[in-house]
Amino acid sequence: MPRPARRALAIAPPRTEPSWREQEHLLLGEVMRLVGKSLAPDVVFREMLHLMSELLGLNRGRVVLLDSFEKGNDRASAEEASIHFAYGLTKAEMSRGRYMVGEGITGAVLSTGQTIIVQNIDADPRFLNRAVERSRLPQETVAFIAVPIELGKTTIGVLAAHRIRRRNRALSEDVAVLRLLATLSGQLLQLRQLVQAQTRELESKNALLSQALESATARYGIIGRSPALLRALAELERVSRASASVLLLGESGTGKELFARALHLASARHDGPFIKVNCAAIPETLFESELFGHEKGAFTGASTSRAGWFEQADQGTIFLDEIGEMPLAMQAKLLRTLQEGTIIRLGAKREMPITVRVVAATNRDLAVEVASGNFRQDLFYRLNVIPISLPSLAQRREDIRPLALHFLNKTNQQNQRNVHFSPQALDALEEQAWPGNIRELSNVIERTVLLTDQAIVSRKEIETWLPETNTSASIARKRDTHSVNSGSSGAPLVREYRSHDSHHAEDLRNAMRLHGGNQSRAAQSLGLTPRQFGYRWHRLAAQEST
């Protein structure tokens, strides 16, 4: 019988340890896999340091970072760095690993940005043995490799590890791997920094948008929820259904026009017209024609008939702003209209009945004007049936932030900008005295949005746009002591009265010349409101043309 065929014996090849090159590839592959899953440095660095020890024998690896980089500050000349990530070190050892720039091996790498290789830590006096006591290291010769971690061209940290000298792996290969890992670490830290900056920016924008949404719930277009403002609004709503005249008292820039419009919207006349008349902007010779209208041929140049402001406001509300600027002769004619409910066009022979609610406003103390003979007492009593005192911005500081955000959003939309304020910038706005009240705040916001080149305005930048005044604190204190609970008592006002001839023509011209034709700045330099200055400038132009 033939012999059965012998079965071939499968002989397994002898097992060999992986080469150093394979270990390197494994380490780098694992690190890149981690980076693909997470950009969090604490996850990537700890595993990277662990694999350095397990695969390459680079033990007690640590990532040392400058304190200024971790805190986001500018780098100082004399500063410290500390161990933020490590493998093979206890918490106590990590806490001891603090180095001044230039101190020891780690500090020298931070200072020079150059890799340093210590062949024998016992033979190099620069090696401090600060983090790990020498007794806890192997008794044989221990080397130390420290390579810089850079962000751009700036050294922000150090990647370092111990190494046993007797290993059969070339030192240069370990240095090459550490440099590669240090480059990857710098990129990862830069990504974290960018993500943190974008996160902070988004959080800031979200906070601002949330506040803006809160402010969007304003009644009648009046922004704010401060107790002083709510009291004034409550008083306005109580009298809105009445037909009696209302006198709005308050400093310049407190929003008297908005309150007048709110009174109109809350009244039964809200479907009728709302007519605003700025008494400070009408030349004295045109007052009667502007308020009551004129017939054709009533005066030279009257080629057609024209309805006056009162006639146009019939069945609605007329708002007489800066009523204190009205000449005495016109005050008598206005009183007659309020008492009888009729008007007579200039050049007409018949009276015309009208039904109009009058809302007047002033930043003067009309009682003082009456005493000085500049305002008719009977007209004052007629207008002062329902006085409402409007709070200054200093009395409603809780509203500064929502007001600022309202003006910011409005200016952004009007000018196609995308500017935002940091929380610290809004704090600076809240701390300002604002002698010009809401109008001044609006002007500052608009100027900042138009002139800034930053996406988010910081406190430092907003302070460059704030008006400088040495009396801000005293003005704020005066306002805070001025009780908004005065209600209908007609409290005295801050701005002093200026008569229409308080400044010479040359004063007005010089102010315009000094401020490049800007009437607002010229008015401020003379202690006048823009309306008061505009009235005087218009009168001057009219006089010079005759």
Side-chain angles (χ1 to χ4, degrees):
M1 291 183 61
R3 293 182 179 180
R6 290 185 178 180
R7 294 180 59 188
L9 295 177
I11 302 175
R15 296 185 61 183
T16 60
E17 294 294 327
S19 67
W20 289 118
R21 191 66 64 192
E22 290 174 340
Q23 299 286 57
E24 286 180 15
H25 290 166
L26 180 59
L27 184 152
L28 294 174
E30 284 298 305
V31 171
M32 294 308 297
R33 185 182 63 81
L34 282 173
V35 171
K37 293 175 61 178
S38 172
L39 293 178
D42 54 342
V43 175
V44 177
F45 286 171
R46 288 192 178 93
E47 185 61 19
M48 178 184 77
L49 297 171
H50 168 239
L51 293 174
M52 282 167 47
S53 176
E54 294 295 323
L55 299 178
L56 299 182
L58 296 173
N59 301 316
R60 286 166 291 280
R62 77 283 309 268
V63 173
V64 180
L65 297 176
L66 289 170
D67 293 345
S68 60
F69 172 77
E70 282 297 283
K71 295 177 182 177
N73 302 328
D74 294 332
R75 179 170 179 175
S77 57
E79 61 173 329
E80 283 188 304
S82 57
I83 298 176
H84 283 260
F85 309 99
Y87 180 77
L89 300 181
T90 65
K91 290 184 178 180
E93 289 170 340
M94 288 181 64
S95 66
R96 291 199 298 267
R98 297 192 61 83
Y99 309 92
M100 297 294 295
V101 173
E103 180 186 24
I105 300 297
T106 301
V109 175
L110 289 170
S111 177
T112 64
Q114 300 295 320
T115 297
I116 296 180
I117 303 169
V118 178
Q119 297 282 359
N120 184 352
I121 62 174
D122 297 323
D124 195 324
R126 295 176 301 170
F127 194 80
L128 303 177
N129 285 306
R130 178 171 293 171
V132 186
E133 297 176 1
R134 183 64 180 90
S135 60
R136 294 195 66 247
L137 298 175
Q139 295 303 308
E140 53 192 297
T141 303
V142 177
F144 185 75
I145 307 172
V147 298
I149 298 174
E150 295 180 337
L151 199 155
K153 295 184 179 180
T154 303
T155 301
I156 51 96
V158 175
L159 172 62
H162 290 103
R163 180 183 189 273
I164 303 300
R165 278 284 303 277
R166 63 177 172 79
R167 288 168 61 248
N168 60 349
R169 172 175 162 83
L171 179 63
S172 60
E173 293 182 355
D174 285 343
V175 173
V177 171
L178 285 177
R179 282 177 173 164
L180 186 61
L181 294 175
T183 300
L184 179 64
S185 300
Q187 294 172 345
L188 194 59
L189 289 169
Q190 185 175 29
L191 282 173
R192 184 189 68 171
Q193 193 178 55
L194 291 173
V195 169
Q196 288 176 342
Q198 290 179 350
T199 301
R200 287 193 298 268
E201 181 178 346
L202 289 173
E203 288 174 348
S204 176
K205 287 183 179 180
N206 287 339
L208 296 177
L209 288 173
S210 297
Q211 293 172 357
L213 288 174
E214 289 179 4
S215 68
T217 59
R219 287 184 290 175
Y220 313 117
I222 299 175
I223 307 296
R225 296 180 178 179
S226 64
L229 177 67
L230 294 178
R231 280 194 291 269
L233 281 172
E235 190 172 355
L236 179 148
E237 290 178 333
R238 280 199 301 271
V239 304
S240 61
R241 296 294 173 178
S243 59
S245 300
V246 175
L247 182 61
L248 300 177
L249 303 168
E251 299 175 14
S252 179
T254 50
K256 291 187 281 291
E257 181 183 348
L258 272 178
F259 270 83
R261 193 177 296 276
L263 186 62
H264 171 70
L265 293 174
S267 71
R269 301 172 181 267
H270 60 270
D271 290 330
F274 175 82
I275 302 297
K276 174 196 170 185
V277 180
N278 182 4
C279 296
I282 303 176
E284 187 171 346
T285 55
L286 298 179
F287 245 108
E288 186 173 0
S289 173
E290 287 293 311
L291 289 184
F292 304 129
H294 61 262
E295 296 292 348
K296 180 179 179 180
F299 51 86
T300 304
S303 57
T304 59
S305 298
R306 176 187 174 276
W309 296 122
F310 266 90
E311 189 175 341
Q312 294 180 44
D314 191 26
Q315 304 302 318
T317 304
I318 188 167
F319 172 46
L320 301 177
D321 197 10
E322 301 285 4
I323 189 70
E325 299 284 350
M326 183 176 288
L328 281 168
M330 276 306 302
Q331 292 178 25
K333 295 180 180 180
L334 174 61
L335 177 63
R336 180 176 177 276
T337 295
L338 296 180
Q339 289 176 335
E340 300 180 8
T342 60
I343 60 168
I344 302 178
R345 284 185 180 183
L346 191 62
K349 298 179 180 179
R350 291 185 306 174
E351 292 183 340
M352 182 184 301
I354 57 167
T355 303
V356 175
R357 184 178 195 176
V358 175
V359 180
T362 180
N363 61 358
R364 301 184 190 177
D365 188 341
L366 289 185
V368 174
E369 296 299 298
V370 169
S372 62
N374 295 316
F375 203 84
R376 290 181 64 101
Q377 186 177 46
D378 45 5
L379 178 59
F380 171 61
Y381 290 149
R382 187 75 188 186
L383 293 173
N384 200 40
V385 176
I386 305 174
I388 299 178
S389 295
L390 306 188
S392 67
L393 195 53
Q395 292 172 320
R396 40 183 296 208
R397 290 198 172 276
E398 306 96 317
D399 297 336
I400 292 177
R401 192 173 294 250
L403 280 168
L405 294 171
H406 168 74
F407 293 133
L408 177 66
N409 293 333
K410 180 180 177 182
T411 308
N412 274 332
Q413 291 175 6
Q414 290 176 344
N415 298 278
Q416 296 183 342
R417 299 298 303 273
N418 188 28
V419 176
H420 299 274
F421 288 155
S422 69
Q424 293 76 21
L426 292 171
D427 290 342
L429 294 176
E430 286 185 331
E431 295 164 10
Q432 185 72 5
W434 301 115
N437 291 295
I438 300 173
R439 185 182 297 117
E440 184 181 22
L441 174 63
S442 173
N443 290 342
V444 168
I445 301 299
E446 184 174 9
R447 182 163 61 249
T448 303
V449 171
L450 295 178
L451 298 181
T452 186
D453 55 359
Q454 302 295 323
I456 297 183
V457 177
S458 65
R459 181 188 181 102
K460 183 177 181 180
E461 183 175 8
I462 196 67
E463 286 176 345
T464 64
W465 305 114
L466 293 176
E468 294 183 5
T469 171
N470 294 328
T471 58
S472 296
S474 62
I475 291 174
R477 283 194 296 270
K478 287 180 182 178
R479 286 188 178 152
D480 290 338
T481 57
H482 174 68
S483 174
V484 73
N485 291 326
S486 54
S488 61
S489 63
L493 303 166
V494 172
R495 186 181 295 279
E496 62 176 328
Y497 165 66
R498 301 294 185 99
S499 64
H500 66 86
D501 57 353
S502 60
H503 293 80
H504 297 294
E506 196 59 31
D507 296 333
L508 302 177
R509 293 193 191 93
N510 288 338
M512 287 289 280
R513 192 180 305 112
L514 287 172
H515 296 281
N518 188 308
Q519 288 195 20
S520 296
R521 293 180 180 176
Q524 187 177 11
S525 69
L526 296 176
L528 298 171
T529 67
R531 289 173 179 153
Q532 290 170 334
F533 184 92
Y535 171 66
R536 287 159 176 75
W537 187 253
H538 196 90
R539 282 185 75 244
L540 175 61
Q543 290 171 1
E544 291 179 343
S545 64
T546 57

